[in-house]
Amino acid sequence: MNKHHVLKGTVAALVATAMLAGVSGMAYATNGKPAAELAGHGAAQRIAGMYGNQNAKNVILFIGDGMGDSEITVARDYLHGANGSFDGLDKIGQPSSYGDTTVGTGQYTTFSLGNGIQDKGKPTVTPVTDSAASGSAWATGTKTYNNALDVDVYGTPQMNLTELAKAAGKATGNVTTSEIQDATPAAQMSHSTLRSCYGPQGKTDGSSNNAADQCEVAQLKENGGIGSISEQMLDTRADVTIGGGAKYLHQTVQGGEYAGMTVWDQAKAMGYETVEKDVDALNALQYDGKPVLALMADGNLQTQFAPSVATKKDPAKDENPIKCSTNPDWLGNKNANGNSASLADMTRKAIDLLEANPNGQSNGFFLQVEGASIDKQDHNANACGQIGETDDLDKAISAALDKVDLNETLIIVTADHAHTSQIVEEQPNYALSTVLKSPIDGAKITVAYGTSPDQMYANDDAPKFDEVESSMSHTGTQLRIAASGPGAQRVNGLTDQTDNFYTIAKALGLASTADDYKNLSAGMDYAVNVKDGKVSLDVTGLNGDASFSYAVTDAATGQVVAQSVDGDPVSGERVRTMQTTSVELTDKVTEGKTYKVTVTGRQTGVALDKEIQIPAQTTSEVIPGKPTGGNANAAGNASAASPLGKTGVAIIGVVVLAAALVSTGLAVRTIKSRRFGSAERR
């Protein structure tokens, strides 16, 4: 029977049922949950339990940052004409466009659970999300507050897709045209209560230190925390990482085993293949067993089109519409050696490297690709800029389609939030606008920008843009999501951003529930490593947690000689998924003595107790421990009454600072909200 006839018959039956019940179809509507109920892992799903049975070897997730329906339409109308179409962007989700086995097209909701760190611990439905909360939603399946990355609204780190794909033995990649520390790419590699915590010295080029303003102090490694976004990026160890933000890796590591090094030097010490602002070196990369870290600009990558400037209403603009031109500094322009680094180029390189990786060959890969500056140029009311970035993303999608088989690869194309630009009939009095003329069909396209909360004119003259204050804002409308390949039909209809996490996780066969995570961490083990006069606690198998706490107790006296800082969910040790995570114990333990060691996963609560005897420092071997409490179990966090061990800097200073913060909590949170609010609402 024809599928369309079946669908029509089903709809008719549903309508008839509603009429028989004496009510309209709206009888089937349901009210949403309160914020507190939405805060749990997976609690905001709209189609929970409807996972299908199609598996994909690979998943590529394309994100157009700020790419709402309006931004897509503006770019299509200008570049291809009102009746034209994008080669990649519009084909994903279209039946049979690429011989797809399955396709799907729908919309999804994007709300967050707080307007900033002042709402940490107080879930509040917030209709307009920022990129950090939205990226966290599809990366972890958990809603959070604006400016937070991969932590729940209470600050507890949540496992993300990259970590879960690594735990499943898959190759992983992260590509963006923004700084790699920016919200969307950072959501695949870090956990941070503030998205501005770019590096160990904050959001600087390394010549200064403003970490106290950009990070919660508990998260910094010198204070016993899990570290900044850049440091966690290295811990996550994606197989391919390509983007901007090179200058932030020139910061100096402040705590832990790499203290005193730059982050670049740490990356090299950890075995990364590094590329810094070298297009030829990027193009020459071949898989050699090392993870790739290629940062192609100090900050965000240059846009494809030179900027246009939206201005107040002026009849002269209708007479002289703008034609967009290529930016000579765009990395997509071929250099003297014929090499380039457009988003399409970076996507092709990432896929090549992931497919050459043994894990990619045998188990497949997960890759996220972001066209970041659609959003950034929308904030600046830059029509040509956002159009060029939409085109750059479209070409990246086409590049991927040329390289993968949709019978085994699921491609999803969506955005993180909607934005400000609107195609309007004529220049409005109330907003800035740009008038374009399509080179394809000659249509005049008037694009209006009217969502800035601030005065956009300086001295009633030129528009005023400032990164912190005067910037166009996001909107809260639902977004297009389209997919082709195995499992694509799950995006049909109305879903939520958190549903995207489950679509990807289920297609790849990844862990996705609390029980799954506990099972991943159930294989946790650890031993003492004595080498070159240093003693470390080496933890493995804790792959269902992003962080852990530990305590080392003298078995004879019961005195705690070393333990993690446990005052905040982002305190403790960052788990290196599918790797060994080492904790320095030198000068805290004595050779020949026996200690009870407890390690506890922060998210799962899985815990393991062992008794370990410290051998002579002259040896160079790993000494396993003897379990005292059986296998790893789901016990709660270990506690101890003895004073904290020292980690990096004196913890007593942090305790004093924490007390001061508590005493002035509301004021501090309000100040942080204002400081990190509009400036980070990207």
Side-chain angles (χ1 to χ4, degrees), residues 310-322:
T311 57
K312 60 186 177 181
K313 184 174 182 179
D314 181 356
K317 293 193 294 186
D318 291 319
E319 301 300 321
N320 299 285
I322 289 173

Side-chain angles (χ1 to χ4, degrees), residues 428-484:
N429 285 312
Y430 63 87
L432 304 179
S433 63
T434 295
V435 181
L436 305 165
K437 184 176 181 178
S438 169
I440 304 302
D441 58 18
K444 186 178 72 174
I445 306 166
T446 303
V447 185
Y449 298 89
T451 61
S452 174
D454 300 289
Q455 172 56 252
M456 296 306 299
Y457 297 110
N459 301 320
D460 198 32
D461 189 8
K464 177 189 70 175
F465 289 103
D466 178 272
E467 182 183 357
V468 176
E469 296 298 338
S470 300
S471 175
M472 295 297 164
S473 299
H474 302 171
T475 64
T477 59
Q478 60 196 41
L479 296 168
R480 178 180 186 266
I481 180 170
S484 294

Side-chain angles (χ1 to χ4, degrees), residues 136-254:
S136 299
W138 75 70
T140 70
T142 305
K143 290 279 188 181
T144 191
Y145 58 85
N146 290 344
N147 290 334
L149 284 167
D150 290 8
V151 297
D152 65 15
V153 75
Y154 305 101
T156 302
Q158 305 288 295
M159 292 291 286
N160 62 46
L161 286 167
T162 297
E163 293 164 334
L164 295 167
K166 285 179 67 68
K170 294 184 177 290
T172 55
N174 196 358
V175 176
T176 182
T177 56
S178 74
E179 297 160 339
I180 197 68
Q181 303 87 354
D182 203 8
T184 303
Q188 291 298 345
M189 64 189 191
S190 64
H191 308 266
S192 182
T193 54
L194 285 170
R195 59 178 287 181
S196 54
C197 191
Y198 271 31
Q201 294 174 274
K203 198 171 180 180
T204 73
D205 62 2
S207 60
S208 60
N209 189 339
N210 67 1
D213 294 326
Q214 302 290 339
C215 311
E216 281 205 300
V217 293
Q219 186 173 318
L220 297 172
K221 283 202 172 183
E222 64 263 35
N223 296 328
I226 60 177
S228 67
I229 292 168
S230 291
E231 292 167 295
Q232 290 188 58
M233 170 180 68
L234 301 184
D235 290 334
T236 300
R237 205 176 178 85
D239 295 286
V240 181
T241 303
I242 308 175
K247 67 182 178 182
Y248 302 109
L249 271 67
H250 290 287
Q251 296 183 27
T252 302
V253 178
Q254 303 294 299

Side-chain angles (χ1 to χ4, degrees), residues 300-647:
N300 301 311
L301 274 61
Q302 289 279 347
T303 59
Q304 179 179 179
F305 286 169
S308 57
V309 179
T311 57
K312 60 186 177 181
K313 184 174 182 179
D314 181 356
K317 293 193 294 186
D318 291 319
E319 301 300 321
N320 299 285
I322 289 173
K323 180 180 179 181
C324 300
S325 60
T326 300
N327 176 5
D329 294 326
W330 179 49
L331 293 181
N333 298 318
K334 290 190 181 298
N335 66 15
N337 297 318
N339 291 320
S340 57
S342 67
L343 186 59
D345 294 324
M346 296 190 295
T347 300
R348 278 189 287 264
K349 178 57 67 175
I351 293 172
D352 286 344
L353 292 169
L354 293 172
E355 288 184 334
N357 186 303
N359 283 343
Q361 291 175 357
S362 59
N363 300 323
F365 63 81
F366 168 66
L367 170 64
Q368 178 177 287
V369 178
E370 182 200 23
S373 287
I374 304 168
D375 166 84
K376 298 179 191 308
Q377 303 317 313
D378 232 332
H379 277 295
N380 291 334
N382 175 3
C384 285
Q386 73 184 61
I387 289 169
E389 294 312 284
T390 307
D391 184 53
D392 203 22
L393 178 67
D394 172 60
K395 291 171 181 172
I397 298 167
S398 295
L401 285 165
D402 288 341
K403 296 188 77 67
V404 302
D405 181 354
L406 288 176
N407 288 305
E408 64 177 18
T409 301
L410 171 63
I411 295 181
I412 301 174
V413 178
T414 189
D416 56 349
H417 54 75
H419 224 306
T420 181
S421 64
Q422 292 290 320
I423 300 176
V424 296
E425 186 175 8
E426 60 184 34
Q427 298 178 51
N429 285 312
Y430 63 87
L432 304 179
S433 63
T434 295
V435 181
L436 305 165
K437 184 176 181 178
S438 169
I440 304 302
D441 58 18
K444 186 178 72 174
I445 306 166
T446 303
V447 185
Y449 298 89
T451 61
S452 174
D454 300 289
Q455 172 56 252
M456 296 306 299
Y457 297 110
N459 301 320
D460 198 32
D461 189 8
K464 177 189 70 175
F465 289 103
D466 178 272
E467 182 183 357
V468 176
E469 296 298 338
S470 300
S471 175
M472 295 297 164
S473 299
H474 302 171
T475 64
T477 59
Q478 60 196 41
L479 296 168
R480 178 180 186 266
I481 180 170
S484 294
Q489 291 172 327
R490 196 173 185 272
V491 308
N492 285 330
L494 180 65
T495 59
D496 181 74
Q497 283 183 324
T498 51
D499 285 300
N500 202 14
F501 166 83
Y502 291 93
T503 298
I504 295 169
K506 295 294 182 179
L508 289 176
L510 309 182
S512 61
T513 68
D515 286 342
D516 290 340
Y517 300 158
K518 287 181 179 179
N519 289 334
L520 280 179
S521 285
M524 184 239 297
D525 199 3
Y526 50 84
V528 168
N529 183 19
V530 180
K531 187 175 182 180
D532 300 328
K534 293 184 178 181
V535 182
S536 64
L537 175 68
D538 291 351
V539 181
T540 58
L542 195 66
N543 296 317
D545 288 271
S547 61
F548 66 87
S549 60
Y550 70 91
V552 180
T553 305
D554 188 311
T557 66
Q559 179 183 5
V560 175
V561 298
Q563 68 176 32
S564 55
V565 180
D566 293 340
D568 191 283
V570 290
S571 298
E573 300 294 323
R574 177 76 162 93
V575 173
R576 295 177 178 173
T577 308
M578 298 297 285
Q579 306 162 70
T580 299
T581 306
S582 295
V583 177
E584 180 75 22
L585 294 181
T586 308
D587 299 329
K588 299 176 183 178
V589 293
T590 303
E591 62 182 70
K593 295 191 70 171
T594 299
Y595 298 89
K596 177 184 175 182
V597 180
T598 301
V599 175
T600 306
R602 288 271 195 205
Q603 187 173 352
T604 65
V606 169
L608 179 63
D609 294 333
K610 280 188 180 184
E611 281 192 356
I612 294 176
Q613 185 176 34
I614 309 301
Q617 298 285 334
T618 55
T619 64
S620 180
E621 57 183 323
V622 174
I623 309 298
K626 179 179 68 177
T628 60
N631 294 325
N633 58 80
N637 286 346
S639 61
S642 297
L644 295 175
K646 219 170 117 180
T647 308

Side-chain angles (χ1 to χ4, degrees), residues 20-102:
L20 286 171
V23 295
S24 71
M26 286 300 291
Y28 293 98
T30 57
N31 292 326
K33 302 174 184 176
E37 292 183 23
L38 291 165
H41 176 64
Q45 294 178 83
R46 290 183 178 272
I47 52 172
M50 300 171 61
Y51 300 123
N53 56 7
Q54 288 187 300
N55 295 320
K57 181 179 181 181
N58 316 305
V59 171
I60 305 176
L61 172 63
F62 284 96
I63 299 294
D65 199 304
M67 189 182 70
D69 286 349
S70 184
E71 284 69 33
I72 296 172
T73 309
V74 168
R76 184 193 299 114
D77 283 6
Y78 180 81
L79 294 168
H80 302 290
N83 192 44
S85 63
F86 285 108
D87 182 56
L89 185 59
D90 288 335
K91 297 301 190 293
I92 294 295
Q94 288 278 23
S96 300
S97 287
Y98 282 88
D100 315 44
T101 54
T102 56

